Amino acid sequence: MRSLVLFVCILLTTGLSQCPSTSEQGNWLHLFNGKNLDNWSVKITGHPLDDNYGNTFRVEDGKLVVRYDQYKAFDEQYGHIFYKKPFSAYLLVMEYRFVGDQVKGGPGWAIRNSGAMLHGQDPKTMGLKQDFPISMEMQLLGGDGQHERHTANLCTPGTNVVLDGKLFTPHCIDSNSKTYAGDQWVHAEALVLGDSLVKHIVEGDTVLTYSKPQIGGGNVINVEPGQKKDGQLLKGGYISLQSESHPVEFRKVDLFDLSPYLNKPTQLAAVLRQLQARKP
């Protein structure tokens, strides 16, 4: 228990960034290699696993992009591209931007809307018509030039979390980030430590913190029987990026693996201090 308390205190007082020191380089993984979609798997609502309908997810000019130019209409074909292996403790680092116009038939709430799904279920276990994986969504929103729209918010398809010491059961909650309008690149990070703590970080600032991610609640449909075990803590899972009807681009998707330090508070503290010393 003493180690766990130290562990949490370290997390709550540490700011993070993406650049490794020399001693850390072996722990960094380029989930997106800038060349192709090797090691990624696509699941789009209504289509079997690895049917990349309409070439939705593709690589253009060294970026992982989401496009809808081959769609006649969106028709609730929500999609996710999953990295090949699960993770339990990590710092996920992304640089993203929204571009162009929403595809015809996309819902109003999905304008300049995407996300990174954390601790998600194995895509092999998703139902054919399932809309979202059971996961926590680090929701990425772009400003529309008229309204305040925070980014790195939290949405919870098939999950609940503990927020401010209480079980949080609504579907979404805003972070305290700024609004990022236009086609500017935004640097976002997710610090995920098993079933202990999750932090959303934008441009070096922590904008949302929660703990004890677990299966529960609603906001996910057509789940295969046996997959939604309400109350089960999520210690790990798959990372995926969304297609929700608005074109989006990712020029960086990297991950620093913290699992070797998960039960070693002193070493964890040293690694986090090194990360903290580098700015986005």
Side-chain angles (χ1 to χ4, degrees):
M1 179 61 70
R2 185 169 177 266
S3 295
L4 179 59
V5 171
L6 175 59
F7 178 84
V8 173
C9 287
I10 292 167
L11 297 176
L12 289 174
T13 58
T14 304
L16 300 170
S17 66
Q18 82 275 25
C19 298
S21 70
T22 301
S23 63
E24 296 165 350
Q25 290 178 0
N27 290 71
W28 280 97
L29 300 172
H30 298 298
L31 303 190
F32 171 54
N33 62 19
K35 300 176 182 179
N36 52 51
L37 299 181
D38 288 357
N39 301 320
W40 293 83
S41 184
V42 173
K43 179 65 183 76
I44 296 174
T45 305
H47 302 273
L49 184 64
D50 286 325
D51 177 2
N52 188 11
Y53 172 78
N55 198 22
T56 303
F57 298 96
R58 64 184 83 159
V59 177
E60 293 181 354
D61 299 323
K63 302 183 292 290
L64 192 165
V65 305
V66 179
R67 299 284 189 258
Y68 304 96
D69 51 290
Q70 298 180 30
Y71 283 59
K72 292 183 179 179
F74 186 62
D75 292 332
E76 298 187 332
Q77 295 176 98
Y78 301 104
H80 298 81
I81 185 167
F82 293 78
Y83 190 68
K84 66 175 182 178
K85 61 174 286 187
F87 296 96
S88 60
Y90 55 86
L91 178 67
L92 175 66
V93 177
M94 301 169 290
E95 291 181 358
Y96 73 91
R97 68 176 181 179
F98 293 96
V99 296
D101 298 318
Q102 186 184 33
V103 66
K104 179 181 177 182
W109 55 262
I111 293 174
R112 302 179 70 80
N113 188 338
S114 186
M117 318 305 278
L118 312 174
H119 277 0
Q121 72 182 102
D122 186 334
K124 295 184 181 69
T125 68
M126 289 181 65
L128 180 67
K129 296 183 179 181
Q130 187 173 336
D131 52 357
F132 303 99
I134 296 170
S135 56
M136 291 91 64
E137 178 189 350
M138 181 179 179
Q139 184 191 51
L140 307 176
L141 291 183
D144 58 10
Q146 301 180 41
H147 306 95
E148 185 175 42
R149 298 187 91 211
H150 304 141
T151 192
N153 307 312
L154 169 67
C155 292
T156 54
T159 57
N160 294 317
V161 302
V162 171
L163 186 68
D164 297 328
K166 298 180 180 179
L167 189 67
F168 179 79
T169 58
H171 181 41
C172 294
I173 185 170
D174 271 9
S175 76
N176 62 8
S177 83
K178 297 187 298 184
T179 297
Y180 296 88
D183 60 358
Q184 63 182 302
W185 289 101
V186 181
H187 181 99
E189 304 175 0
L191 174 67
V192 183
L193 278 300
D195 60 3
S196 298
L197 196 69
V198 182
K199 295 174 70 173
H200 295 182
I201 304 162
V202 180
E203 300 293 347
D205 294 327
T206 297
V207 298
L208 188 64
T209 301
Y210 53 93
S211 63
K212 296 183 179 177
Q214 57 195 268
I215 297 175
N219 303 297
V220 61
I221 61 172
N222 298 318
V223 178
E224 288 291 298
Q227 292 300 316
K228 192 166 180 295
K229 302 176 181 179
D230 288 0
Q232 177 178 301
L233 289 171
L234 292 172
K235 299 178 182 294
Y238 289 80
I239 293 167
S240 62
L241 306 175
Q242 284 189 320
S243 64
E244 283 194 309
S245 74
H246 201 112
V248 62
E249 302 181 345
F250 295 86
R251 68 180 181 186
K252 179 190 289 289
V253 188
D254 290 347
L255 181 141
F256 186 87
D257 187 5
L258 288 166
S259 60
Y261 316 105
L262 193 56
N263 297 311
K264 301 174 181 178
T266 301
Q267 292 184 33
L268 177 64
V271 171
L272 294 182
R273 281 196 297 269
Q274 291 176 342
L275 290 168
Q276 184 183 22
R278 305 300 182 95
K279 300 299 180 183

